[in-house]
Amino acid sequence: MGKKHKDLFPRIIETGNLYRAYHKAAKGKLYTGGHLIFKQNLAANIANLRKALASGEYQPGNPNLFWVYEPKPREITAMPFMDRVAQHALCNVIEPIFDQVFLPASHACRKGKGTHSAAVAVQAELRRMQSNGVKPWVLKTDFSRYFYSVKRDVLHAEYRRKLSCQPTLELLGKIVPATGVGLPIGNLTSQLSANIYGHIIDRWLAHKVGITRFFRYMDDIVVLGHSREALDMLRMGMQWFSEATMGMRFSKWSVQPAARGINFVGYRIWDTHKLLRRDSVLRAKRKIARYSRLGLHDQLNRFLASWMGHAKWADAHNLMKFIGAAT
């Protein structure tokens, strides 16, 4: 279990940390009503938030709920701006603690990691196996309704594996209640909490089963192996462990030769090349067409910058050239 961390709360509510949290919370929110109101009396609002946190009187406000429908329907929680600041202040202190124990296989929402590092790591391992004369097989799984299925009592037990600061645990309990099921998509703490929850199966794979060739991006897991039989056995063990310990079920799983390509983090990956997933390309084309039709040039330019950044990591030169010419 390793070292437990105490005396964290003074660092969370320290004025400098709250200002750092404010600047993080303001990114991408500069012209929202919540930010503009908070900014008008910034020093007073920071002082009031610090006082509420220090006294234990802080309570999260009521979120604004809305739905997004791509790539699949999801209910999103938009926090009041002050709660965004509070959650950034909390995560500024506790996220590095948990990041130190996450395994290299975990790629989501971590500094120096991400979809590109996950795709590169999978491809590098494929090449190593091929160079050793192995024809790899791949087990691909993802959990059903991952954020909505998190058992909060299990999650809080994971918090307590590393945190022994009672005020910090109480603040976490206000943001993520210790009873019930599910994490709200959109909360900053939900990303960290979902990664902490996924570390449960990372730990089992690495330390109990002794699997080294696996990669996880939040709820998507890829395991490379030498044979279908071995990966079939592992899949059954993973399903048993996930249901018994995490309350999770697989929504999809497959075992197939890696030569067919591995669908992971938006790419189809082979040892020789990577392609963008077909559904990703279709969604991008629809979004570009809609922004162009409606004359939403700023949104179009931001989306293109993001999408081109993703596409450049694949062997997609001709596609990028076509998209650029079409816009």
Side-chain angles (χ1 to χ4, degrees):
M1 186 176 296
K3 176 184 176 182
K4 284 194 173 186
H5 295 258
K6 57 184 180 179
D7 300 326
L8 300 173
F9 200 65
R11 292 168 53 194
I12 293 170
I13 65 171
E14 188 264 327
T15 300
N17 184 51
L18 291 174
Y19 272 99
R20 286 190 293 275
Y22 158 73
H23 288 295
K24 285 185 176 181
K27 287 183 179 178
K29 304 289 182 180
L30 291 176
Y31 303 108
T32 62
H35 170 251
L36 293 173
I37 292 170
F38 194 91
K39 184 182 179 182
Q40 280 182 347
N41 297 290
L42 179 58
N45 284 322
I46 292 289
N48 289 336
L49 176 58
R50 185 180 189 282
K51 181 180 178 181
L53 289 167
S55 66
E57 295 176 357
Y58 169 79
Q59 292 293 335
N62 294 322
N64 178 36
L65 304 178
F66 62 95
W67 285 82
V68 297
Y69 296 93
E70 287 192 7
K72 57 186 177 182
R74 293 174 296 161
E75 186 180 53
I76 304 297
T77 299
M79 300 172 286
F81 189 82
M82 183 173 287
D83 293 336
R84 290 180 59 83
V85 176
Q87 291 194 23
H88 272 289
L90 172 64
C91 288
N92 282 350
V93 174
I94 69 169
E95 187 168 0
I97 292 170
F98 287 100
D99 193 72
Q100 287 179 354
V101 302
F102 291 157
L103 298 179
S106 173
H107 288 268
C109 305
R110 300 179 64 190
K111 289 182 179 179
K113 296 280 191 174
T115 56
H116 306 140
S117 77
V120 167
V122 169
Q123 188 175 60
E125 189 57 44
L126 285 175
R127 289 172 174 170
R128 275 191 288 270
M129 296 177 76
Q130 295 276 17
S131 67
N132 290 327
V134 176
K135 292 184 177 180
W137 286 74
V138 57
L139 166 63
K140 173 73 167 62
T141 73
D142 63 65
F143 291 119
S144 175
R145 294 175 56 81
Y146 183 60
F147 277 75
Y148 302 115
S149 302
V150 168
K151 296 174 67 175
R152 295 185 200 141
D153 60 334
V154 175
L155 175 62
H156 275 262
E158 291 297 308
Y159 292 152
R160 293 192 296 274
R161 287 174 66 91
K162 298 305 297 178
L163 309 178
S164 62
C165 176
Q166 192 56 38
T168 300
L169 290 169
E170 289 175 2
L171 177 58
L172 271 167
K174 292 178 179 179
I175 297 170
V176 185
T179 58
V181 178
L183 297 171
I185 297 176
N187 273 19
L188 180 68
T189 52
S190 293
Q191 292 182 345
L192 174 60
S193 297
N195 243 359
I196 292 170
Y197 209 71
H199 181 64
I200 297 172
I201 197 163
D202 292 351
R203 211 163 50 220
W204 181 79
L205 284 167
H207 302 320
K208 296 296 184 183
V209 187
I211 301 295
T212 58
R213 296 188 180 101
F214 76 96
F215 313 85
R216 181 175 63 83
Y217 193 91
M218 204 56 80
D219 60 322
D220 288 353
I221 303 173
V222 163
V223 186
L224 301 180
H226 293 74
S227 69
R228 173 187 288 277
E229 293 75 18
L231 291 180
D232 275 331
M233 289 285 291
L234 177 63
R235 192 265 308 170
M236 290 188 285
M238 287 175 66
Q239 182 66 84
W240 168 81
F241 176 81
S242 301
E243 289 185 24
T245 306
M246 303 169 67
M248 293 282 174
R249 292 179 175 271
F250 293 145
S251 63
K252 302 173 187 173
W253 65 268
S254 64
V255 177
Q256 61 183 23
R260 295 182 183 175
I262 301 171
N263 282 326
F264 189 47
V265 294
Y267 302 98
R268 290 191 69 200
I269 305 167
W270 289 264
D271 63 310
T272 54
H273 63 290
K274 298 190 295 290
L275 298 178
L276 294 172
R277 288 178 55 172
R278 188 175 293 108
D279 57 347
S280 173
V281 174
L282 290 174
R283 283 198 304 271
K285 287 181 176 179
R286 286 198 298 266
K287 188 169 285 190
I288 289 167
R290 185 171 70 251
Y291 286 154
S292 298
R293 184 176 68 252
L294 297 175
L296 301 174
H297 302 298
D298 289 343
Q299 291 93 323
L300 175 62
N301 290 334
R302 286 196 296 269
F303 173 75
L304 281 173
S306 174
W307 189 83
M308 290 292 191
H310 175 68
K312 74 179 183 181
W313 288 82
D315 296 274
H317 175 75
N318 289 336
L319 174 63
M320 292 173 67
K321 187 176 180 180
F322 171 79
I323 294 288
T327 56

